[in-house]
Amino acid sequence: MKLLTLNFLSCAVKTCKTSPLSFPLHPKDAELAKDDVEPNPDLLTNILPRLDWSALRTTAAELGFPDLPETAPSPEELVEGGKTVQDLHELLMETQIVEGKLVCGCCGHEYAVREGIANFLLPSHLV
Amino acid sequence: MLPTPDTSHVPYSRVYEPAEDSFLLLDTLSSPAESTFLTSRFATGPSPLIVELGPGSGVVLAFLTAHALPILGTRAPLALGIDVNRFACAATATTVIKAVAGAGATSASFLDVVQGDLVSPLRTRAATGGEPAEGMVDVLVFNPPYVPTEELPGPPGPASAGVVGGKTTYEEDSHLLELSYAGGRDGMETTERVLAALPGTLARRGVAYVLLCAGNRPEEVKARVRGEGWRAETVGTSGRTAGWERLQVVRIWREG
């Protein structure tokens, strides 16, 4: 599971959906790996306007990455082949959570990540 | 004709094999009419999020991702799959990654596949100051379990929540396949849950492609969806017999 994916997901429990605490989910005991992914410049320049940058900063910090700047890089900073683009590509597209858990800050439910696949199926008492 | 993604690695004893319905989705999404519609909506602006529910083998998601440039007019989209079947999750990831590598300069980016129940893992932006709640998804694709059956199969057992390399019994495999086609009453029980969740799932500019069979009573389904303020049109059909379309793809979107 990519670090970027956490920007699009929240706790699957219905009553958590309206709580700001259910996003982003918090990685716990995460084992990370780095995949080789072909850079897609069209994606990197167009993804930033739709990302929740503060959630991304939280996720990156919780996984032990150096602090991201407080605001997202401007389009001018995203020069093709530049360091900002390369760093973002590595962080967003190549960083994988292979094993671990994702914890909801609202209900405390833990979702397991195994073999790189997060499992959001809920036990019957939470559906 | 855009090439169909390779699914030769998919274990068909427990993951739905691409069939007429899958190919109808490929033909519909790559038709001149739909490519024009999608390009006019998504070629510019922030990266669109493409989500397929129940991708199974991953053939449709891989097709859309690999051929993003001819179909959506941009390489900026991100593709995400959500499947209840863990083996389908692993299969889809492989199918999409292979197709993207093979397509090169026309492809969008693969985001992920997560195991989950329909749209439940997706974030919803809460309603704020007069703005209604809004979802994250720009293009939603759903080839549902649409066959009318007496009962809807229950959620998958622990085997499919385990590891991909793990052993499953014949009964567990059959149950996983049943989940891919058995739709309960009118074949609509699962599809109805997705239609009900559309307001919190689709972005303002979002569009959903849902496959229906004749037994689902597609005209009634479209009328119900329109009654909730959506536009809904049939944009692809296959298997015409005696004036009835066996399968059709319905596009659902917001006006304007």
Side-chain angles (χ1 to χ4, degrees):
Chain A
M1 157 179 248
K2 289 185 176 64
L3 189 152
L4 175 59
T5 308
L6 287 173
N7 218 268
F8 296 97
L9 305 178
S10 69
C11 183
V13 176
K14 221 176 185 140
T15 49
C16 287
K17 284 288 178 198
T18 50
S19 164
L21 295 173
S22 71
F23 171 83
L25 296 168
H26 306 289
K28 185 179 154 191
D29 306 330
E31 192 182 303
L32 300 182
K34 191 173 161 290
D35 269 13
D36 269 334
V37 176
E38 189 72 26
N40 176 351
D42 292 354
L43 170 76
L44 282 174
T45 48
N46 291 295
I47 189 73
L48 291 186
R50 71 166 297 164
L51 284 189
D52 186 318
W53 185 259
S54 95
L56 184 71
R57 289 186 80 217
T58 303
T59 305
E62 287 175 351
L63 288 170
F65 288 93
D67 281 350
L68 292 173
E70 269 181 43
T71 53
S74 65
E76 294 75 44
E77 288 172 78
L78 296 172
V79 193
E80 212 175 315
K83 181 156 175 5
T84 309
V85 166
Q86 180 58 33
D87 287 352
L88 272 177
H89 173 68
E90 278 184 31
L91 184 70
L92 300 180
M93 300 304 292
E94 297 195 318
T95 308
Q96 295 273 347
I97 302 174
V98 186
E99 301 282 330
K101 296 187 175 77
L102 305 169
V103 186
C104 173
C106 179
C107 71
H109 188 70
E110 297 187 346
Y111 298 93
V113 183
R114 271 190 250 160
E115 297 178 317
I117 302 172
N119 180 0
F120 282 85
L121 294 176
L122 293 167
S124 53
H125 70 277
L126 285 177
V127 175
Chain B
M1 278 286 283
L2 299 167
T4 301
D6 174 16
T7 53
S8 57
H9 54 276
V10 180
Y12 294 133
S13 60
R14 47 178 81 144
V15 175
Y16 186 75
E17 184 170 357
E20 185 185 351
D21 44 14
S22 326
F23 298 121
L24 174 59
L25 274 165
L26 302 192
D27 290 343
T28 302
L29 291 164
S30 60
S31 69
E34 288 318 293
S35 300
T36 304
F37 173 83
L38 290 168
T39 298
S40 72
R41 226 163 159 94
F42 298 115
T44 56
S47 289
L49 179 67
I50 300 172
V51 173
E52 184 175 9
L53 303 176
S57 66
V59 69
V60 177
L61 190 63
F63 183 83
L64 262 182
T65 312
H67 308 306
L69 191 59
I71 296 175
L72 294 121
T74 169
R75 293 192 60 199
L78 272 175
L80 173 69
I82 302 171
D83 204 298
V84 73
N85 174 346
R86 189 164 187 88
F87 302 99
C89 293
T92 292
T94 304
T95 308
V96 180
I97 289 167
K98 266 197 204 175
V100 165
T106 66
S107 75
S109 288
F110 170 58
L111 179 62
D112 241 313
V113 184
V114 298
Q115 186 178 14
D117 179 30
L118 304 174
V119 301
S120 65
L122 292 170
R123 180 184 166 212
T124 294
R125 283 198 198 92
T128 47
E131 291 288 312
E134 186 188 351
M136 309 293 291
V137 183
D138 296 294
V139 181
L140 185 76
V141 180
F142 190 31
N143 182 0
Y146 56 75
V147 177
T149 52
E150 282 197 10
E151 281 183 37
L152 202 63
S160 65
V163 289
V164 167
K167 289 238 186 306
T168 51
T169 62
Y170 175 78
E171 284 72 25
E172 285 164 337
D173 283 352
S174 305
H175 183 228
L176 289 174
L177 287 183
E178 205 184 332
L179 280 165
S180 73
Y181 69 81
R185 193 168 39 82
D186 290 340
M188 281 298 292
E189 288 190 42
T190 304
T191 308
E192 289 291 4
R193 288 173 55 213
V194 170
L195 296 178
L198 284 182
T201 301
L202 288 185
R204 297 301 303 169
R205 61 176 178 164
V207 50
Y209 289 91
V210 179
L211 188 134
L212 299 175
C213 77
N216 300 153
R217 308 177 206 230
E219 289 309 314
E220 291 173 29
V221 174
K222 283 189 283 182
R224 277 205 304 280
V225 169
R226 287 178 189 135
E228 282 152 35
W230 300 92
R231 301 215 37 203
E233 295 298 339
T234 299
V235 292
T237 59
S238 86
R240 182 177 270 269
T241 46
W244 284 83
E245 315 293 355
R246 206 181 79 76
L247 299 174
Q248 60 176 283
V249 177
V250 175
R251 184 221 283 163
I252 301 168
W253 75 107
R254 286 188 179 94
E255 195 66 78

